[in-house]
Structures are given as structure tokens and as C-alpha cells.
Amino acid sequence: MTATSTAPATPAAPIDRGRPRRPAALVAPGPRATRLAANLVLVVVGLCFLLPLGWIVLASVDAQATLTVGLPEALTFANFSAVMTPEQTWVPLANAFLLSAGSGLVTVLASVLAAYPLSRYRMRFNKPFLYAVLFGTCLPITAMMVPVYSLFVRLNLLDSLPGTIFFMAATALPMALWMTKNFMDSVPVSLEEAAWTDGASAMTTLRRIVLPLMRPGIAVVFIFVFIQAWGNFFVPFVLLLSPEKQPAAVSIFAFFGQYGSVAYGQLAAYSMLYALPVIGLYVLVSRLSGSGFSLAGAVKG
Amino acid sequence: MTTLAPAPAGARGPEPSAPRRTHVRRDARRLVPLVPAVVLLALFMLGPVVWSFYGSFTNAALTGPAAANPEFVGLENYANLLADPDFPKSLWLTVLFVIASAVVGQNLLGLGLAMLMRSAVGPVRAAVSTLVVAAWVLPEIVAAFAAYAFFHADGTLNALLGGVGIAGPDWLFEHPMLAVILANVWRGTAFSMMVYSAAIAEVPPEITEAATVDGASAVQRLVWVTLPTIRRSISTNLMLTTLQTLSVFTLIYVMTGGGPGTDSSTLPILAYQEAFKFAQVGYGTAIATVMLVIGAVFSVVYIRSLKPEVD
């Protein structure tokens, strides 16, 4: 049985019939076997990726969750209701929203303003600045956190939400600026030239003509920054000290430290509540830009 | 990355022939919208970098007199760094982590998945790519919890091994580096897979067809046709995954805390521990400075490879 399905038992016939069709079957000699093998390998890899993910989903609805993935014997939403209290979940999620939306807004505003002259005028300043920005996209931010901490102590910005928002905005800015400039470059200049001859200023054309045309691009940049900030653990972990200011990433870590070794179900439920918004946003951003590859494409340049 | 749009300068008067001073003044006026971005970058990106170099020459501490008035100690932190057995170990662990999980793991698996996806049936392709991307989209700390549960002594991996009669070890204590490397491959492969899928889709089919007609096998086509055609994507992706992996903190911190001992303390973890656990901010800053320099070297190489796209 297995031998016949993997290796063709009658070699003469398929070759005779296959010859004229050869250019169509470009995958490999014995395309069906190759396809089967490719699919099998993919299914195995997919299962390896599924197991850790599946644990979060299944443990969150399991009344007796353990660290091992398994179908729950009794479905329950008790884990969710146990963590859905103001101080446990809602305040940290609100803080996370404040941090992410705040840094998203600051980043988008700063990068739109900066991208306009960089995209529209050919200046001697452009090239060194763009190189510096590109360099900034590459800097390992986690490497900076110790000096950032002592700098924030000096500037009296430690445990300050605005300070953290501006820092996160600044770290996201190089990439956002790069993306925004690329989106702006694709808006044709001819439309603005008409407005300029009518006497409109650069800022007016930016607001009235360029921005409406690149609305999806701006949404992509905002969501990109938002997702990054929402998932950022290390920056608020170092810069925000009082629990009532900390976002979900930090409070979920505190929960893990306190109850992580007993209340697996609740940890998983909290993880779900915290992760769902960014998964939704990711789906939205892939719709906005037509394909799921947009973020990688934007990063790739 | 398109090139700069043609400057619309001509639309606003006879500027090319204008004298130099008005040229400078016009440029200065046009640069005003850049001010917020420049201030943000100077204060929160350049500031910490400069501060990092400065702080690494002081004995700054979290508490005590050295916290209020750090003294200039010259190269003492760097001398301690070289004398400290933890530092070379941590450097080696970082290199191991980056090469095994990013350069080899994510890139090879990503390329392999991208190739396999092309000959897979629709539902399999959709399901597998969704799963791979899901691990990447999840917030890092949630991914770290999932990986922690997977590799824990009572976790899924050992349950699976137990199912076939193997008593699995306590991965997080006995093989911490292996666990965090595999976890980082699991988490980061999606990026490489998407980059390579996009790159392979742009390989002109005529070339592969011609190679097939000439009798090239699948492996020969991969090595001699596909890989050389997408070499730009490969080098870009290698640099980006290296830089991303160099600064991974949360995944390792949650899974092993850098331990047992310092057996999985890569440089970001070591800098954090020295600065905040042992209160040696100056020493932690010296480690941070070393990391910044390493990151800067990689960035320069990466930017040089992108140069034609900025110009």
C-alpha cells in the first residue's frame, strides 16, 4: 500500500504520458509525492507551533489547568471572571491603552511632520538625516534601558506616564518615520503643485491633500506603533514603578510571579484578554494594506 | 523604498538661480516641521546613548552615596568587565543565542517554510502560516508564558516525551540555552518566512522554468537559481533578525530569569541584573555600552548594504 503511493510502480507509463505535460509540472520529478511530502512536513511544523499556542487557549477555559496542553474536562469561564477585576485587569489594560495610543499619536504626528519636507524637498540635510534615522531603527533598545533609567532619574521622569509615552514614541519614531516617508513618496506631487500655484502653504497642502490620500498608510503606522507599545514589557518594567501606573504587560508579569505557579488557568485567561486586542489590530492592519506581509514589507523597506 | 520624489522647487519661483543665502534660509524654513522629531530623537535616543558612554565611566549605584553623586572612575568598570568571568560567558551565550536562534534557526526554518508553502495545498498553507504568524504577533510576554509552559518540567514537551516512554529532563534548568533558543525560533520564524515568501514570489518563473528544462533538480534550482536571485533579501533579513535577537530580553527573563546561575544570561539580562539586582548601575551601563557598540557595528554593515536605496 505505502510503497505504491510513494514510488510509482510502473515507471514507463507515467513518463510517456507525462512528457508533453512536463512544463506544467515544474515542481519536481514526481510532483505528487513532493507535494505530499511538503504538506506532511508543513503539518508537522504547524503542530509544533500549535502546541505552545494551544496551551494558552485551552488552559484559559480549563477548570483544572496544568502546564500541559490538553482538552479541558470541564469548560469554565471562571478563570476569566476571576481575573476580570478592576485592579487586576481593567486598570492595567487602560494604562496599556493610554501608553500605546499616546505613543502612537506622538509618533504619527512627529513622523508626518518630519516626513513632509524629507519627501517633498531635495535638501542637503536629507541624506545624513535619513541615515541617522535608519541607524536609529537598528539600535538595540533593550541595551539602552540601564542608561535610560539613570537618565530618567536625573530628569525626574521616573514613574511618569508622559515620560514613558515620549520615550516609547521616540524609540518607535525612526521606523515610523521611515514608513511614513515611503507612504508619502507614493502620493503624486502633481496634486500639490496645483494647490501651490493657487497660493496654498506647504502645511495646508499637507493637511488638505497629502494626509487624506495617505490615510491607510497613517493607520498602518499608528497600529504598528500601537502594537509595539502594547507588547512592550521591558520599557515600562524599568521606567514605571507604582503598580497603579503599570500597563498590562508588567502587571501580568507580577501576576505570574505571585500566582503563576498555581493559577495557570487564570494566567492563561489574563494572557488571552491582553493578547486579543493586538491580534485584532494585526488582522485589521493586514486588511488595510492588502496583505499580511505589509509589516514585514515595511520593515524590509 | 522609492527614491526621493522629484523636488517641486520649480513650482515656487526661480529658486535654482537664487543666491546662496536665500537658499539656506529657504532650507531652514522648510526644516521647521522636522523639529518635533529631532527633539524627540535627540532627547530619548541620542541622550541615552551619550549618557551610556558617560555613565560607564562613573561608579553610579542605585542606593547610597554613589547614587546621589556618582564619581568619575575612568576605565574601572571596563577593567572589572574584563576581569569578571560572567562577562565573557555572557558574551559567548549571546553569540550562541544569536547564531543558533536567528542566523540558523529562524532563517533556515523561515526559508524552508516559504519554499514548502509553494507546493502545499491551500488549507494547509493557510493554517500553518496563520499558526506561525500567530506566535509572532502575540505580545512577547504572552509568548514567553507559552514557551515556559511548553518547556517546563511538567509541561507539554515532557508530557509528549512521556507518551513515547522517554523521561524528559527539566529543560529550563538542565538545558536553559536550548530551551530559550528553540523558543526564540518558534517566536521569530514568522518574520523570516514572510520576507522569504515575498522574495521567492518575485523570482521570475522563466528562470526556474529554463533551469528545469535544462534538467536541473529541485536542489540545484534552489542553490543555483532561487538563492542567488533573493540574496539581497537574505542579507537584509540576516541583519534584521540578528539585531532583533541581540536585544531579546523578555523571552529569556520570563523563561529562565537568566539562570540557573548565569547559565542563560545573555548581555541584556546581565546588564539588567548588574544594574538593578546588584545595584551596580555604572557597571551595568558599561555592559550596555558594549552592547550598543556591537549593535552599532551591525547597523553600519546593514546600512551600507541598503545604501543604494537611500541615495
Side-chain angles (χ1 to χ4, degrees):
Chain A
M1 254 324 260
T2 47
T4 46
S5 64
T6 48
T10 49
I15 285 176
D16 278 351
R17 268 192 294 130
R19 264 292 171 217
R21 258 191 277 152
R22 190 72 191 262
L26 281 170
V27 184
R32 288 184 61 188
T34 319
R35 272 174 190 274
L36 188 70
N39 282 310
L40 276 178
V41 173
L42 279 179
V43 167
V44 170
V45 173
L47 279 176
C48 293
F49 274 80
L50 174 66
L51 284 173
L53 292 171
W55 175 77
I56 298 179
V57 178
L58 292 175
S60 72
V61 291
D62 193 338
Q64 267 107 37
T66 62
L67 282 170
T68 308
V69 65
L71 286 178
E73 283 173 23
L75 271 184
T76 175
F77 286 98
N79 293 323
F80 284 95
S81 50
V83 293
M84 276 153 85
T85 58
E87 70 271 24
Q88 189 66 261
T89 307
W90 301 128
V91 171
L93 282 180
N95 287 339
F97 180 81
L98 198 66
L99 278 177
S100 315
S103 48
L105 281 177
V106 172
T107 311
V108 165
L109 199 66
S111 53
V112 163
L113 284 174
Y116 187 73
L118 291 173
S119 162
R120 290 309 190 236
Y121 308 127
R122 195 185 288 275
M123 292 176 290
R124 208 173 302 161
F125 175 79
N126 284 0
K127 224 202 275 180
F129 186 76
L130 284 173
Y131 273 123
V133 166
L134 196 57
F135 186 74
T137 60
C138 301
L139 272 190
I141 299 300
T142 45
M144 275 170 38
M145 285 323 287
V146 176
V148 167
Y149 175 85
S150 42
L151 188 68
F152 267 51
V153 171
R154 278 301 167 91
L155 297 175
N156 226 349
L157 282 174
L158 211 58
D159 204 24
S160 136
L161 276 175
T164 313
I165 286 175
F166 279 112
F167 176 71
M168 288 170 113
T171 54
L173 187 56
M175 185 59 78
L177 181 52
W178 199 255
M179 290 164 73
T180 312
K181 182 185 165 293
N182 284 339
F183 283 124
M184 211 177 267
D185 283 346
S186 60
V187 176
V189 194
S190 47
L191 295 166
E192 290 157 82
E193 281 168 348
W196 279 331
T197 37
D198 289 347
S201 74
M203 283 301 111
T204 313
T205 50
L206 171 63
R207 208 176 62 238
R208 292 276 181 79
I209 296 171
V210 184
L211 288 188
L213 284 173
M214 54 181 290
R215 221 177 271 147
I218 290 175
V220 168
V221 174
F222 178 82
I223 294 173
F224 174 78
V225 179
F226 189 98
I227 290 179
Q228 263 195 340
W230 184 269
N232 199 327
F233 162 74
F234 196 32
V235 171
F237 183 58
V238 170
L239 296 182
L240 292 173
L241 306 176
S242 29
E244 69 272 11
K245 289 183 188 166
Q246 283 170 343
V250 182
S251 84
I252 202 173
F253 181 71
F255 183 87
F256 173 70
Q258 274 180 304
Y259 315 102
S261 45
V262 274
Y264 300 122
Q266 291 181 25
L267 180 71
Y270 194 173
S271 300
M272 292 276 285
L273 289 172
Y274 166 53
L276 280 178
V278 289
I279 293 174
L281 280 178
Y282 180 79
V283 174
L284 180 70
V285 86
S286 12
R287 289 267 170 86
L288 268 180
S289 40
S291 84
F293 300 135
S294 61
L295 283 187
V299 171
K300 197 170 67 117
Chain B
M1 239 179 282
T2 49
T3 48
L4 290 172
R12 311 204 74 186
E15 273 157 357
S17 58
R20 185 160 241 201
R21 207 186 312 145
T22 53
H23 210 80
V24 169
R25 200 176 297 161
R26 187 203 65 198
D27 271 10
R29 198 181 60 236
R30 286 176 170 181
L31 288 176
V32 169
L34 278 155
V35 169
V38 171
V39 168
L40 269 181
L41 290 175
L43 200 56
F44 292 114
M45 294 283 279
L46 187 64
V49 172
V50 173
W51 192 260
S52 182
F53 278 91
Y54 164 75
S56 66
F57 296 112
T58 68
N59 66 348
L62 271 188
T63 51
N69 293 308
E71 284 170 25
F72 192 78
V73 294
L75 290 170
E76 197 182 301
N77 287 318
Y78 290 99
N80 290 344
L81 207 61
L82 292 177
D84 185 354
D86 281 344
F87 178 70
K89 182 180 169 188
S90 174
L91 198 59
W92 154 244
L93 290 176
T94 310
V95 171
L96 178 70
F97 183 65
V98 168
I99 290 182
S101 73
V103 176
V104 177
Q106 292 181 8
N107 275 278
L108 280 188
L109 186 58
L111 183 64
L113 286 175
M115 303 283 299
L116 287 174
M117 294 281 182
R118 292 175 67 76
S119 38
V121 292
V124 172
R125 181 167 50 214
V128 175
S129 60
T130 305
L131 285 171
V132 174
V133 171
W136 180 67
V137 173
L138 277 185
E140 192 176 5
I141 195 151
V142 174
F145 291 149
Y148 170 83
F150 186 77
F151 286 107
H152 193 275
D154 306 321
T156 306
L157 180 57
N158 278 354
L160 285 177
L161 290 176
V164 292
I166 304 170
D170 188 343
W171 298 95
L172 295 173
F173 279 90
E174 289 171 42
H175 308 284
M177 280 313 284
L178 182 65
V180 294
I181 286 169
L182 289 176
N184 195 45
V185 172
W186 167 74
R187 171 160 168 75
T189 295
F191 184 80
S192 302
M193 180 187 82
M194 294 192 288
V195 169
Y196 289 140
S197 293
I200 291 174
E202 280 171 23
V203 174
E206 306 87 52
I207 307 181
T208 3
E209 279 167 23
T212 316
V213 172
D214 289 347
S217 71
V219 176
Q220 283 172 326
R221 284 201 306 272
L222 173 67
V223 173
W224 298 110
V225 179
T226 310
L227 290 185
T229 319
I230 64 169
R231 64 183 185 282
R232 283 293 302 273
S233 301
I234 294 177
S235 64
T236 307
N237 191 52
L238 275 174
M239 291 309 303
L240 285 177
T241 47
T242 299
L243 284 163
Q244 281 164 359
T245 307
L246 200 60
S247 57
V248 167
F249 173 85
T250 309
L251 193 70
I252 303 179
Y253 190 66
V254 169
M255 284 178 72
T256 68
T262 54
D263 284 355
S264 58
S265 291
T266 56
L267 286 175
I269 309 269
L270 188 72
Y272 175 80
Q273 285 175 331
E274 289 294 344
F276 298 112
K277 214 162 128 195
F278 307 120
Q280 299 297 323
V281 174
Y283 188 57
T285 308
I287 301 172
T289 310
V290 171
M291 259 192 295
L292 281 175
V293 171
I294 297 175
V297 170
F298 274 101
S299 308
V300 169
V301 175
Y302 169 62
I303 290 170
R304 287 188 72 95
S305 74
L306 278 185
K307 200 163 185 258
E309 300 187 41
V310 182
D311 292 344

